[in-house]
Amino acid sequence: MKKWIPIASGLLAGFIAATISFADFSSNSKTETASANNKSDAEKVYVPFGKKDDYYLFASGGHSGQMFIYGVPSMRKIRTIPVFSPDSATGYGFDEHSKKLMGGYTWGDLHHPALSETKGDYDGKWMFATDVGNSRAAVVDLKTFTTKDIIKVPNTAGPHCAAFVTENTEYMFLPTRFAVPLGQKYEKLDDYSSKYRGVMSAVTFDEKNVKLNIAYQVALPPWSYDLSDAGKKSSKDWAVMTTYNTEEATTTMEVKASQADRDYIVLFNWKELAKMVKDGQYEEVNGQKMIFPEKQKGGIYLVPVAKSPHGVDVTPDGKYFIASGKLAPAMTVFSFEKAFKAVQNKEFSGERNGIPILKYESVMEREVNPENALGPLHTQFDDKGMAYTTMFISSEIVKWDPKTGKTLDRVPVQYSPGHSVSAEGDTVAPDGKWLIALNKIAKDSYLSVGPSHPESMQLIDISGKMKIIQSVPVDPEPHYAQMIKADKIKTIEVYPKDPNNKDAVYNQKDTKIVRKGNEVHVYGIAMRSRFVFEAKAKRPDVIEVNQGDHVFIHLTNIDFDEDITHGFAINDYDLNMEVQPGQTNTMEFTADKAGTFPLYCTNFCSALHQEMNGYFLVKPKQ
Ligand code: CUK
Ligand code: CUA
């Protein structure tokens, strides 16, 4: 294997040069080749046909705007869930419901999927995610693996630092990566420190109505909020988030945002914040309840941390939070208990923007600096409470003990891991067994597809000495993932009949085409192997409208049979949607093009699927 030094940016290169010699680094990376090389490794990932995987893996699709589902340990890709981007395969972003959800945007940047939790354990019901690209939050229903709600988060630009849910999914917090003036109105960058803000949104989920809501927001200083995690057990009312650019640089960030030796972790008590809001201690800003920490005091503290931190992770027992400094070769373990005491005794070393700074020594438990390990980003845990930290620069996973700081094991990965994910890793009781490294660079790993390669996921057996036993390519970009026991997820087989859905038709004889002025409503059926739009018509599978008509096609799949999905596409009208078994879906568009357009089922549904078509006729305007 070729040795490769992953120099990601001039900054990192400068940093490496300044802190270690390359000789040190290369001696570290030749310890072993990290490939699965024997039969027993292969057997561990082999899930024979007919058997199913033990875990679902939900991998973020980054700037594809999607989420990818894999099975573990086979690492077989099972499905793509479109969330923030349209998907022509499923018609997501084309049918009415999903088009509305997308809010007019055509792409998204999904970083951190978060499973809903009950008592700190994944409950297998919902999946949350945020969009850094267009500032949205989404919820996916795990009964159907489909996106159910998306909200736009006002006053924020790029909620990267999310989504991490509290122990009982009371909240997910969405701190924002980019500081902007509230409401994103125009303000000079010279006024950055006074006019710009980094906003944290507290989002709640109404499970009954399947709606996301913004409970309140906090106007934090104009810094970049990077990653967050919610407390657990004794720290369950608290959450932490890393922040960088406390220098408040407005240009050439790569240099100017890395000058100060210390940045901060923001530590906040969400119960206190909720109480402040209840007591009316907030201001209304663009329809949101906004807490201004310099005026509405309490509940928020700063903890100094080594410069430019990236990840922060709470240990499964809820006692510690671990910050990783991407530019400092160290992980810092902080104690919640010490932090609570420091808050109580007001052990402050100053304040910024009205937020008290806790004394570093009062909160810090230990600094951990594994030899030659560089670029720590994110930490996961196993069933024994041991930590696994990804080292972006030295391309490895380091296993260590948060209670002693001792390095226990390390394994090189190909290359430059961002996050890793362990089985049930963010719960109060991780499973151990598996860890997956989510690598940014996969060169040398797979057949070449040109200058740009896919990212990679490497499955590591962590039951004994860490060993990579499988490696698979993955589309952009697995920032984070979560792994949940397969038996916790209960999907449905077909959509049940919905007597309250006015758009649904379950009997052929009830199909009809209704005209109101220039609005045309089609109440149709898809079934093996035909469309019925109007049973009594001479040609029941034909829709005829006038040019300029506003057309609604409501289509119900009456094949109540698992996996019999139909598609509905109109040739040259750039439209496609799917109807899953029992589902009703609507397509809305204006028939602006006159002519003859074949319509057809896009999902191969039966031996006579190729016969499942008809015509969409558009009579030209006189
Ligand atoms: S980020 Cu990608 S490696 Cu968006 Cu969680 Cu750290
Ligand atoms: Cu229905 Cu193909």
Side-chain angles (χ1 to χ4, degrees):
M1 183 166 319
K2 265 182 291 172
K3 222 175 283 148
W4 182 68
I5 299 170
I7 295 170
S9 71
L11 174 72
L12 294 181
F15 170 68
I16 297 173
T19 52
I20 56 149
S21 73
F22 285 107
D24 283 349
F25 171 62
S26 37
S27 69
N28 173 40
S29 66
K30 65 171 178 246
T31 43
E32 61 185 281
T33 59
S35 58
N37 48 15
N38 63 44
K39 190 164 159 282
S40 66
D41 286 345
E43 278 169 356
K44 283 185 190 155
V45 295
Y46 181 63
V47 178
F49 180 68
K51 289 253 160 56
K52 289 174 189 159
D53 280 296
D54 298 330
Y55 293 92
Y56 283 91
L57 178 76
F58 292 81
S60 99
H63 44 294
S64 74
Q66 300 170 330
M67 205 178 297
F68 306 125
I69 313 301
Y70 284 76
V72 178
S74 75
M75 300 304 285
R76 294 182 291 212
K77 187 180 173 194
I78 300 168
R79 171 126 272 197
T80 295
I81 308 177
V83 182
F84 295 119
S85 306
D87 176 44
S88 92
T90 53
Y92 184 82
F94 295 81
D95 66 73
E96 264 329 278
H97 174 69
S98 57
K99 209 160 62 184
K100 265 190 206 124
L101 286 185
M102 301 255 311
Y105 295 99
T106 58
W107 80 288
D109 190 2
L110 190 162
H111 278 238
H112 305 108
L115 288 155
S116 56
E117 294 183 15
T118 302
K119 292 189 182 148
D121 198 13
Y122 301 150
D123 57 27
K125 294 201 278 190
W126 308 97
M127 171 58 90
F128 305 98
T130 56
D131 167 20
V132 183
N134 288 310
S135 307
R136 292 171 291 171
V139 57
V140 170
D141 187 346
L142 298 182
K143 288 195 295 298
T144 56
F145 281 62
T146 53
T147 304
K148 281 289 151 81
D149 191 29
I150 296 182
I151 53 166
K152 176 82 181 153
V153 188
N155 297 324
T156 63
H160 175 264
C161 191
F164 296 91
V165 302
T166 55
E167 253 190 10
N168 291 295
T169 320
E170 293 97 338
Y171 290 96
M172 55 171 178
F173 297 105
L174 276 52
T176 175
R177 173 172 163 196
F178 308 106
V180 290
L182 297 178
Q184 268 182 289
K185 53 181 203 285
Y186 171 83
E187 292 288 357
K188 287 196 184 71
L189 276 160
D190 286 344
D191 298 332
Y192 184 86
S193 293
S194 59
K195 299 267 171 69
Y196 284 56
R197 291 284 187 156
V199 170
M200 194 268 290
S201 308
V203 170
T204 54
F205 177 55
D206 171 355
E207 192 167 351
K208 200 167 138 247
N209 297 305
V210 198
K211 284 296 300 169
L212 295 164
N213 296 297
I214 301 168
Y216 60 88
Q217 296 185 316
V218 184
L220 293 164
W223 307 336
S224 290
Y225 300 87
D226 208 16
L227 255 297
S228 61
D229 202 1
K232 297 179 169 86
K233 298 183 174 176
S234 58
S235 59
K236 68 176 166 38
D237 300 346
W238 296 76
V240 281
M241 55 185 152
T242 52
T243 178
Y244 62 100
N245 193 24
T246 55
E247 295 89 345
E248 301 180 9
T250 55
T251 181
T252 49
M253 294 272 292
E254 132 181 82
V255 180
K256 294 201 169 130
S258 312
Q259 281 168 339
D261 281 339
R262 291 235 185 274
D263 284 300
Y264 301 105
I265 286 178
V266 184
L267 170 74
F268 64 94
N269 182 308
W270 52 266
K271 286 228 167 120
E272 259 180 67
L273 296 184
K275 191 171 172 293
M276 282 161 68
V277 172
K278 212 176 139 225
D279 295 345
Q281 289 187 60
Y282 63 84
E283 286 166 35
E284 190 117 341
V285 179
N286 301 314
Q288 303 302 320
K289 298 178 171 127
M290 186 78 72
I291 295 173
F292 289 84
E294 69 272 33
K295 292 182 223 160
Q296 290 97 28
K297 301 253 179 192
I300 308 178
Y301 305 90
L302 300 175
V303 180
V305 66
K307 70 156 78 176
S308 302
H310 188 52
V312 60
D313 298 277
V314 174
T315 53
D317 61 12
K319 289 191 174 146
Y320 305 99
F321 51 101
I322 298 168
S324 303
K326 56 187 186 271
L327 294 185
M331 291 84 79
T332 315
V333 183
F334 296 95
S335 155
F336 272 113
E337 208 185 301
K338 285 187 178 175
F340 301 157
K341 267 202 201 114
V343 167
Q344 215 166 36
N345 302 334
K346 298 199 163 50
E347 292 168 40
F348 303 142
S349 62
E351 63 159 53
R352 282 198 66 179
N353 303 51
I355 309 174
I357 305 170
L358 295 171
K359 282 198 182 121
Y360 179 72
E361 311 76 46
S362 303
V363 186
M364 197 270 291
E365 185 76 23
R366 66 177 49 84
E367 288 170 358
V368 180
N369 192 350
E371 204 185 344
N372 294 335
L374 282 176
L377 292 189
H378 300 283
T379 301
Q380 285 278 287
F381 304 95
D382 68 12
D383 52 329
K384 306 202 171 59
M386 295 304 119
Y388 297 76
T389 301
T390 47
M391 298 291 164
F392 182 81
I393 298 175
S394 53
S395 281
E396 60 179 330
I397 307 277
V398 173
K399 175 181 175 181
W400 56 285
D401 185 345
K403 296 226 159 68
T404 62
K406 225 178 118 199
T407 302
L408 303 172
D409 194 7
R410 47 212 290 179
V411 67
V413 295
Q414 282 73 25
Y415 303 92
S416 301
H419 285 260
S420 74
V421 52
S422 65
E424 303 254 325
D426 287 309
T427 69
V428 291
D431 269 9
K433 291 186 200 157
W434 302 115
L435 182 85
I436 296 171
L438 308 171
N439 307 317
K440 302 299 185 189
I441 306 284
K443 80 179 196 124
D444 304 340
S445 300
Y446 314 113
L447 292 174
S448 174
V449 287
S452 179
H453 296 261
E455 279 75 42
S456 87
M457 300 200 291
Q458 288 181 299
L459 180 70
I460 303 168
D461 181 351
I462 56 168
S463 54
K465 184 166 168 44
M466 281 194 286
K467 189 167 194 196
I468 293 178
I469 57 171
Q470 180 65 298
S471 177
V472 295
V474 57
D475 278 328
E477 180 179 328
H479 285 279
Y480 189 44
Q482 282 191 331
M483 205 191 311
I484 176 176
K485 279 194 195 85
D487 61 12
K488 283 185 176 176
I489 289 186
K490 314 267 185 244
T491 53
I492 56 167
E493 291 180 2
V494 299
Y495 282 86
K497 277 189 191 174
D498 180 0
N500 297 320
N501 187 345
K502 302 184 305 301
D503 299 334
V505 179
Y506 296 107
N507 273 311
Q508 283 193 62
K509 64 172 176 38
D510 296 332
T511 55
K512 60 187 173 193
I513 297 178
V514 182
R515 286 159 215 277
K516 290 182 224 146
N518 71 340
E519 235 179 54
V520 180
H521 282 264
V522 179
Y523 297 89
I525 270 172
M527 58 193 281
R528 276 167 294 184
S529 303
R530 73 176 86 118
F531 292 110
V532 182
F533 303 120
E534 194 166 42
K536 63 175 202 282
K538 180 174 169 196
R539 296 186 180 88
D541 46 11
V542 169
I543 301 169
E544 185 161 339
V545 302
N546 298 314
Q547 187 177 14
D549 277 351
H550 200 63
V551 183
F552 295 79
I553 295 170
H554 312 287
L555 196 64
T556 302
N557 179 350
I558 61 163
D559 285 320
F560 285 88
D561 251 336
E562 194 177 7
D563 208 18
I564 304 302
T565 294
H566 297 288
F568 174 83
I570 303 177
N571 180 247
D572 210 38
Y573 251 87
D574 198 28
L575 291 171
N576 180 44
M577 68 174 179
E578 72 170 17
V579 273
Q580 296 187 8
Q583 192 186 22
T584 303
N585 222 341
T586 297
M587 183 185 275
E588 178 192 343
F589 61 100
T590 303
D592 44 13
K593 270 188 289 197
T596 301
F597 306 94
L599 56 87
Y600 73 106
C601 172
T602 39
N603 216 308
F604 210 109
C605 51
S606 73
L608 295 174
H609 156 81
Q610 289 296 87
E611 279 71 15
M612 192 165 171
N613 53 239
Y615 282 98
F616 179 62
L617 298 171
V618 185
K619 235 193 257 170
K621 265 197 189 122
Q622 295 309 324

